[in-house]
Amino acid sequence: MTLAGCASDDAGNGGGDSGGDSGGDSGGSGGDTGTTTGTPEQSVDEVVIGSNHPLSGSLAATGVGMSNAIKLAAMRKNEEGGIESLDGAEVTVIEGDNQGAQELGGQVSEELLSEGADVLTGCYSSPVTTAATQVAERQGVPFVISIAAADNILQGRDFNYVYRPQPPARRLASDYADLVPTVIRDGGGTIDTAGLFYINNSYGQAIRDSLREFLPEQDVEIVEETAIEFGASNANTQVSRLRSADPDTIIATTYVAGGVLLAQALQDQDYRPPYLTASASATFTDDDAVSDIGEFANGVLDNNYALNPTVDKTAEVRSQFLDNYDQEFSASVGMSYTAAEVIIQAVEEAGSVDPDDINEALKGLSYEDHISAMGAIEFDDQGENVNALGPVNQVQDLSVKVVYPEEYAEAEPQV
């Protein structure tokens, strides 16, 4: 997934989703969670959030930023006086490094719980998140996903303790089909055919499958599909196939590194389709990645989660993050910040660190004071945010800007 991104193909997000190099679950045995339970009548000194992200490995560039965003949300709450309903209890963040490896997702969740985490968040990679959430569910501890797009993390698992503020793959693909062709056509362009370029894991496959369903409904025919493996060193073969199909647009679904490889191969072959677009790709919502690609990135349209540029709080948080961590506040990092605020708000409303009390607060949550470009965060029975949205971003002058829908736009689309 910046969407969107979340799996484990390279050094970047989702927007895209999350990753890991394989599908499936992992995890350890059940047992004591190591959490501190309490009620509004008990004295609680701290609330502990366990951050399960890739702090090393190929996804670390984004993963470290995401974990830092969790810490910033905690710091801001503490500066405001802590959890008011718990007499000023401090929010503490403990970190675990899943290295972007699926087999570590469940293990890190267990370690964080044994170290005293009251609630968990993570993991950027969809396969890693699949494993990590299984442990949280089994031990009855709430898990608020920071980023991970694959639908099957929640769909069909009958989880009771897992929540996703950001749009899942199916919603992201649906928003792409509804919004991106509209932007192009309203600008006088033509988009009748598409070629898909995606990371070959649960995140990329989920976006691909949903685009297959939704694009034809908007009169866009998929004329080629090509996948890149996690850890690939170039995308020349894939670009050759796409070039032969001659689509109106190439739709990228990658982590940061995969999108950079795509841009390099396109330039190597002196080829660019009329519209270079993306769905839930971390590459084209990440200012650092865009800067690395250079002028070739200008004009790319990507639907993914996004920061809301129309509220003052976004600029405030972005500036504070840069000052504290000397990192850019990308959409992926911003979504993690939002996940942390969701946790903090739920604890505030629960007035307790008991996992079941926090869980009940999450179920009834309606959180509006966030910085993501979407409506109030409210969860359905499956733990999905009913108001999740993947707006359209565009790279303009090597800067990522929200351009559609108009209520969140900071610039006009350039088509």
Side-chain angles (χ1 to χ4, degrees):
M1 15 177 142
T2 219
L3 106 297
C6 314
S8 84
D9 108 28
D10 32 72
N13 169 112
D17 158 51
S18 61
D21 51 356
S22 62
D25 296 341
S26 68
S29 60
D32 184 78
T33 66
T35 60
T36 301
T37 60
T39 69
E41 292 76 27
Q42 292 178 320
S43 175
V44 176
D45 293 329
E46 66 175 354
V47 176
V48 182
I49 299 174
S51 171
N52 183 347
H53 290 93
L55 307 180
S56 63
S58 62
L59 297 179
T62 303
V64 169
M66 293 170 68
S67 199
N68 284 340
I70 308 297
K71 291 186 284 188
L72 178 63
M75 180 176 70
R76 284 172 56 89
K77 182 64 174 178
N78 292 334
E79 290 175 346
E80 294 170 0
I83 303 294
E84 183 178 355
S85 64
L86 290 173
D87 296 327
E90 186 171 271
V91 182
T92 301
V93 179
I94 56 177
E95 299 175 292
D97 180 12
N98 62 50
Q99 301 176 34
Q102 181 185 346
E103 62 272 16
L104 294 180
Q107 177 181 320
V108 170
S109 283
E110 289 185 329
E111 290 171 353
L112 291 169
L113 291 172
S114 69
E115 292 170 16
D118 300 302
V119 60
L120 297 173
T121 186
C123 294
Y124 186 41
S125 155
S126 287
V128 176
T129 308
T130 298
T133 52
Q134 179 177 322
V135 170
E137 181 71 19
R138 184 171 63 240
Q139 300 206 25
V141 176
F143 192 114
V144 177
I145 295 169
S146 55
I147 288 177
D151 297 294
N152 60 12
I153 293 170
L154 284 176
Q155 306 304 314
R157 297 182 83 187
D158 295 323
F159 278 177
N160 190 49
Y161 289 87
V162 184
Y163 304 84
R164 175 161 44 192
Q166 101 251 195
R170 182 175 174 81
R171 176 60 190 265
L172 285 164
S174 175
D175 286 343
Y176 177 97
D178 288 341
L179 303 178
V180 176
T182 296
V183 168
I184 291 173
R185 290 164 178 161
D186 285 354
T190 298
I191 176 171
D192 296 328
T193 58
L196 308 186
F197 177 88
Y198 62 94
I199 177 66
N200 194 24
N201 66 6
S202 59
Y203 144 59
Q205 292 161 7
I207 297 290
R208 174 205 64 194
D209 291 347
S210 293
L211 287 173
R212 286 174 178 171
E213 177 182 352
F214 294 119
L215 284 175
E217 295 176 0
Q218 303 300 328
D219 298 318
V220 179
E221 177 189 3
I222 297 173
V223 294
E224 182 60 87
E225 298 179 3
T226 182
I228 187 170
E229 299 299 325
F230 183 79
S233 59
N234 69 76
N236 291 318
T237 299
Q238 290 87 347
V239 166
S240 294
R241 289 180 55 184
L242 291 164
R243 183 174 186 174
S244 296
D246 192 29
D248 295 323
T249 184
I250 291 174
I251 307 172
T253 299
T254 64
Y255 302 110
V256 170
V260 172
L261 291 176
L262 171 63
Q264 290 173 342
L266 288 168
Q267 292 176 87
D268 288 345
Q269 298 187 31
D270 193 26
Y271 165 64
R272 181 173 180 140
Y275 302 99
L276 183 55
T277 65
S279 181
S281 172
T283 311
F284 301 106
T285 51
D286 185 293
D287 285 329
D288 289 337
V290 165
S291 178
D292 289 343
I293 293 170
E295 293 295 326
F296 191 80
N298 280 329
V300 173
L301 292 163
D302 174 35
N303 94 291
N304 207 336
Y305 29 79
L307 304 177
N308 185 352
T310 69
V311 296
D312 292 341
K313 182 180 175 181
T314 301
E316 177 185 313
V317 173
R318 187 193 294 272
S319 176
Q320 194 170 2
F321 185 82
L322 181 62
D323 289 344
N324 279 274
Y325 302 106
D326 194 28
Q327 289 178 288
E328 289 299 324
F329 198 67
S330 68
S332 295
V333 172
M335 198 67 239
S336 298
Y337 179 87
T338 293
E341 285 203 326
V342 165
I343 291 171
I344 291 167
Q345 182 65 21
V347 174
E348 188 71 78
E349 294 185 11
S352 168
V353 292
D354 180 88
D356 287 321
D357 292 340
I358 298 172
N359 200 51
E360 286 305 307
L362 284 165
K363 289 184 182 302
L365 190 72
S366 181
Y367 182 54
E368 297 182 359
D369 186 29
H370 58 79
I371 61 171
S372 295
M374 62 178 72
I377 295 173
E378 301 172 348
F379 299 109
D380 64 18
D381 291 343
Q382 295 187 88
E384 300 283 15
N385 177 12
V386 298
N387 296 313
L389 177 68
V392 180
N393 306 281
Q394 187 174 41
V395 181
Q396 298 181 1
D397 298 324
L398 297 184
S399 179
V400 180
K401 300 183 181 298
V402 181
V403 296
Y404 197 78
E406 293 181 2
E407 64 186 295
Y408 301 115
E410 59 186 315
E412 293 287 333
Q414 298 175 359
V415 179

